[in-house]
Amino acid sequence: LFAHGQEDFNFELLSNVQYPEAGNDVWGFVHPDGTEYAIIGTVDNTRIYSLADPTSPVEIAVIPGNNTVWRDMKSWEDHVYVTADASPDGLLVIDMSTAPDSVNYQYLTPTIPDGVGGSSILGSCHNIYIDEFGYAYLAGCGATNGNKAIIFDLNNNRWEPELVSVLGGSNQEYAHDLMVRDNVMYSSEIYKGALV
């Protein structure tokens, strides 16, 4: 097993990027023009690197955020969406359509119904998943009374997506992570110790 674990599987290190704060997640984004980008979550920022020349990455944007141990990001068409755990950031929306010349972004903090007759402002969320139909599922959101998932439709307006549903609510179902395939949600509910 030791010898097998040392195989390189045809990987070759092309470059190494240094930044001043600790990193916590990375996502690969391919622009419609074919250019690849690395979207890196750090404790204080979301950093975007152009990989037009993978041997020499170029940082094209640093988007500041509140300090957090975890950022998660996914993409849909020419936009990237970022959540932050233990942070009031809400949903970071990044328009990559004019990259690398410019990158536009905004933080969305809409009011979310809590499923028991109240509401709260979208703040921290541990994770995000985007399915094959263009729906974004936010999981592990701290300020929404234990909702399993907050669902946004990215199809009509990628810049300001529409809230379409909130799952969970009165059942206090906390999803730490989830994925959706063929309209079936698989939810990792850590407080139940179950995948449902």
Side-chain angles (χ1 to χ4, degrees):
L1 288 176
F2 178 80
H4 183 72
Q6 303 307 309
E7 292 183 30
D8 66 11
F9 295 102
N10 296 317
F11 289 120
E12 179 184 355
L13 178 64
L14 297 179
S15 59
N16 188 1
V17 174
Q18 301 291 322
Y19 38 85
E21 71 271 20
N24 47 42
D25 201 5
V26 64
W27 182 254
F29 170 79
V30 180
H31 192 277
D33 71 7
T35 304
E36 295 184 21
Y37 292 84
I39 315 296
I40 299 176
T42 71
V43 294
D44 294 316
N45 303 288
T46 300
R47 295 177 174 273
I48 303 174
Y49 291 86
S50 169
L51 304 177
D53 176 0
T55 64
S56 183
V58 175
E59 186 174 72
I60 64 164
V62 178
I63 302 171
N66 286 291
N67 186 270
T68 183
V69 297
W70 186 254
R71 292 184 201 282
D72 194 49
M73 61 283 296
K74 301 293 185 293
S75 55
W76 179 253
E77 295 183 351
D78 56 5
H79 282 58
V80 175
Y81 301 88
V82 183
T83 57
D85 199 347
S87 164
D89 285 352
L91 180 63
L92 171 59
V93 179
I94 306 169
D95 180 353
M96 296 286 293
S97 63
T98 56
D101 298 326
S102 65
V103 172
N104 297 311
Y105 68 90
Q106 66 174 340
Y107 283 97
L108 299 179
T109 54
T111 300
I112 305 294
D114 65 9
V116 292
S119 62
S120 58
I121 301 298
L122 180 65
S124 68
C125 289
H126 178 70
N127 215 326
I128 182 172
Y129 184 85
I130 300 176
D131 72 4
E132 69 270 31
F133 302 112
Y135 288 89
Y137 299 80
L138 281 60
C141 300
T144 55
N145 200 28
N147 288 317
K148 181 184 295 192
I150 300 169
I151 306 169
F152 289 91
D153 183 349
L154 309 178
N155 291 287
N156 295 325
N157 189 339
R158 294 185 301 278
W159 183 243
E160 292 186 8
E162 175 189 3
L163 173 68
V164 293
S165 186
V166 178
L167 303 177
S170 60
N171 295 328
Q172 295 292 299
E173 301 174 70
Y174 174 87
H176 184 72
D177 199 353
L178 57 81
M179 72 164 289
V180 179
R181 186 67 46 91
D182 296 325
N183 293 315
V184 176
M185 178 185 293
Y186 302 89
S187 172
S188 174
E189 300 183 10
I190 59 175
Y191 297 127
K192 291 182 179 179
L195 176 67
V196 293

